[in-house]
Amino acid sequence: MAARLAVFVVATAVLGGGCGFFMEPKPDLENKKTAQLGKFSVEYAGNWKTELETDEAGGMTFSSLTIESQGSAIAMVQVFEPAIDFSPEQVFETYVEGMLEASKTEFGGVLDLSVHSEDEFSRAVLGSTWVGRTGTVDVTLLGEKVPNRIQTVQHSNDERTVVIVVQAPTEDWKTASPGFDAIYDGLKESGS
């Protein structure tokens, strides 16, 4: 339940800023910044902003770092301690379900979402291959349909689960992608 709630909260942030109605500026990778997320540090584009949220309930500590571009790209790095037992499919599906719930409750039904593709996705993070899902979600607001690409990857050990979610309108993906790569490549355990 805690994992589902956490995904819903960040999905609301995606819907608020990531509908695809803003021009996507090039990520500033010459002036990267670093944010702390519990036992991790994350590098991100210098012209992107962050917001950290932490919560503790029922013996679980949840931390979420939301990283937003000045356009419509958004990424989240989430840490669950102890580890949660979610498959890559469940993480992707829970995230999309959270987006659907948020579209109904936060936007009063004027926003419509539909998933029209989902595939396996993997990415090197922290020196190993993390497995997840990638898919396209059509976001329709006031008759304007904007396809959005979403990627989720995750990794668990005995102590924690780390989930990375990145999202941008497909028309902006090429511009935002280097910023996402900076996050994937810039995730480090503190002290390493």
Side-chain angles (χ1 to χ4, degrees):
M1 181 63 178
R4 180 173 172 75
L5 177 61
V7 172
F8 176 78
V9 169
V10 295
T12 303
V14 168
L15 292 169
C19 295
F21 298 108
F22 304 104
M23 176 72 105
E24 187 63 44
K26 183 178 174 184
D28 179 3
L29 302 178
E30 297 296 317
N31 300 295
K32 290 183 204 170
K33 296 179 182 174
T34 303
Q36 285 298 128
L37 176 67
K39 298 174 184 170
F40 294 92
S41 64
V42 182
E43 287 185 345
Y44 61 96
N47 58 340
W48 291 18
K49 64 181 181 176
T50 62
E51 183 176 331
L52 178 64
E53 185 178 336
T54 59
D55 193 20
E56 197 168 320
M60 174 176 281
T61 301
F62 166 74
S63 302
S64 180
L65 181 68
T66 303
I67 308 167
E68 295 180 72
S69 74
Q70 295 175 344
S72 297
I74 190 166
M76 274 79 53
V77 181
Q78 301 175 328
V79 180
F80 299 87
E81 296 177 289
I84 57 172
D85 186 23
F86 266 26
S87 69
E89 294 81 11
Q90 287 174 307
V91 169
F92 184 86
E93 289 168 12
T94 301
Y95 182 77
V96 172
E97 285 174 13
M99 289 177 68
L100 290 168
E101 285 181 39
S103 72
K104 292 175 186 169
T105 59
E106 299 294 321
F107 296 94
V110 299
L111 188 73
D112 186 39
L113 297 169
S114 60
V115 178
H116 65 82
S117 69
E118 179 187 345
D119 297 300
E120 187 173 307
F121 171 72
S122 61
R123 177 67 161 79
V125 180
L126 286 172
S128 65
T129 301
W130 291 19
V131 177
R133 307 297 285 171
T134 186
T136 302
V137 176
D138 288 334
V139 178
T140 306
L141 179 63
L142 303 174
E144 180 76 24
K145 182 165 81 169
V146 181
N148 281 253
R149 186 171 176 187
I150 299 171
Q151 293 176 341
T152 62
V153 291
Q154 69 191 68
H155 184 268
S156 294
N157 61 24
D158 292 338
E159 300 172 18
R160 70 185 67 90
T161 297
V162 180
V163 176
I164 301 174
V165 180
V166 299
Q167 177 271 333
T170 54
E171 67 184 19
D172 294 332
W173 190 264
K174 186 175 179 179
T175 303
S177 188
F180 296 148
D181 289 338
I183 294 165
Y184 287 128
D185 297 337
L187 180 66
K188 295 179 174 45
E189 292 191 63
S190 295
S192 60

